[in-house]
Amino acid sequence: MWLLGLALEMAALFAYSLLTQAVLGTHHQTPSVWRLFRIQMSTKAVGNILPGGSAASSALGYRLLTLSGVSGPDAGFALATAGLGSAVVLNLILWIGLIASIPGRGVNAAYGTAALVGVIVMLIAAALIFGLIDGQGRAERALRWCARAMRFDEDRAAEVLRHMGNRLQGLASEPGLLWRVLFWAAVNWLLDAASLWIFLRAFGGTLNLDALIVSFGIANVLSVIPITPGGLGIVEGVYIPTLTGFGLAGSTAAVGVLSYRIA
């Protein structure tokens, strides 16, 4: 059964590559999905071995995409939009799980903490999106100031900002493309959650769907705190007590979560 769990995890990672490909849209130099998958696996590896690895993995992803023929602005747009879209979908999945779970299970402190972190993530995402669409307004002035402070070419930075804003506006004007982005983001998270369920089931544990979604959502929302590589220790420290609180035996939760995290 653990082979099925591993296959689901690989499928989830591949779905994220399809998400990136969807964000790139009809760009004439879009790499093949298999190349995007290899790039993603490389960035995932970096993110899982460095503290605060999301910054390093994003830099590596940008470099590998530009080496694959994607223009710099399009590479930055793809990485930012895929990350923001994925975070938004994760929070929506968590909130749906919370709404379904609260009537029968009540509310606890973990729910409130995860919901607060989720709201902060959504607000940051909204601010970034509006800032990029704003283009030549406050976002560009702030970017030019940062570029001057770091001795970068402020005109080039402003050009990239305007390009990303135009791409975001184009994405919003293409409902079909936007829905494909949201669809692959949802597939990525749901396959990941299914992999967790399989690993728990392999050791004799079982959960109701709402308990699985809430545990999965809380752990992954809190994993955005960039303290340890890949959320090491944080994710496990959320998963195991949360799953135990939903009635899973402590030993089953521990071995299931650790096997899933190794995979």
Side-chain angles (χ1 to χ4, degrees), residues 81-92 118 121-122 125 185 189 221 224:
T81 305
L84 289 173
S86 181
V88 169
V89 170
L90 172 63
N91 279 278
L92 290 176
V121 170
M122 296 284 271
W189 288 119
V221 166
V224 301

Side-chain angles (χ1 to χ4, degrees), residues 170-233:
L171 180 64
S173 66
E174 298 182 52
L177 178 57
L178 182 59
W179 280 111
R180 284 199 299 276
V181 169
L182 296 177
F183 171 78
W184 286 118
V187 169
N188 164 244
W189 288 119
L190 293 176
L191 286 173
D192 198 358
S195 175
L196 171 63
W197 187 87
I198 289 294
F199 275 102
L200 293 172
R201 193 74 183 88
F203 295 98
T206 187
L207 282 174
N208 291 331
L209 180 60
D210 64 324
L212 175 70
I213 292 299
V214 169
S215 300
F216 179 82
I218 290 175
N220 282 281
V221 166
L222 295 181
S223 72
V224 301
I225 303 171
I227 298 175
T228 59
L232 183 64

Side-chain angles (χ1 to χ4, degrees), residues 241-252:
T242 305
L243 291 169
T244 303
F246 281 123
L248 210 60
S251 57
T252 301

Side-chain angles (χ1 to χ4, degrees), residues 3-179:
L3 286 174
L4 175 58
L6 183 59
L8 286 169
E9 189 60 38
M10 294 299 291
L13 293 169
F14 189 73
Y16 196 90
S17 300
L18 292 170
L19 165 62
T20 306
Q21 187 181 56
V23 172
L24 287 170
T26 56
H27 190 281
H28 67 283
Q29 291 181 314
T30 299
S32 69
V33 67
W34 291 108
R35 185 170 184 85
L36 289 174
F37 182 65
R38 289 160 55 202
I39 290 173
Q40 184 200 347
M41 293 301 288
S42 299
T43 59
K44 184 77 170 174
V46 170
N48 283 344
I49 61 175
L50 294 177
S54 57
S57 63
S58 295
L60 176 62
Y62 179 88
R63 178 61 174 161
L64 292 176
L65 282 173
T66 54
L67 287 175
S68 301
V70 180
S71 68
D74 285 326
F77 170 80
L79 292 170
T81 305
L84 289 173
S86 181
V88 169
V89 170
L90 172 63
N91 279 278
L92 290 176
I93 291 173
L94 171 60
W95 290 345
I96 291 171
L98 289 175
I99 292 170
S101 175
I102 287 173
R105 302 178 187 274
V107 182
N108 60 46
Y111 285 18
T113 301
L116 177 61
V117 173
V119 168
I120 293 172
V121 170
M122 296 284 271
L123 289 174
I124 291 173
L128 288 172
I129 291 170
F130 285 122
L132 288 171
I133 293 177
D134 180 53
Q136 296 181 349
R138 287 170 294 184
E140 181 173 335
R141 290 194 295 272
L143 183 65
R144 284 181 177 275
W145 181 87
C146 291
R148 287 194 298 270
M150 294 185 288
R151 301 183 184 278
F152 290 155
D153 185 341
E154 64 175 279
D155 292 327
R156 174 63 177 164
E159 179 187 347
V160 171
L161 179 70
R162 286 193 293 269
H163 181 85
M164 292 178 69
N166 291 335
R167 287 295 306 275
L168 270 177
Q169 289 177 323
L171 180 64
S173 66
E174 298 182 52
L177 178 57
L178 182 59
W179 280 111

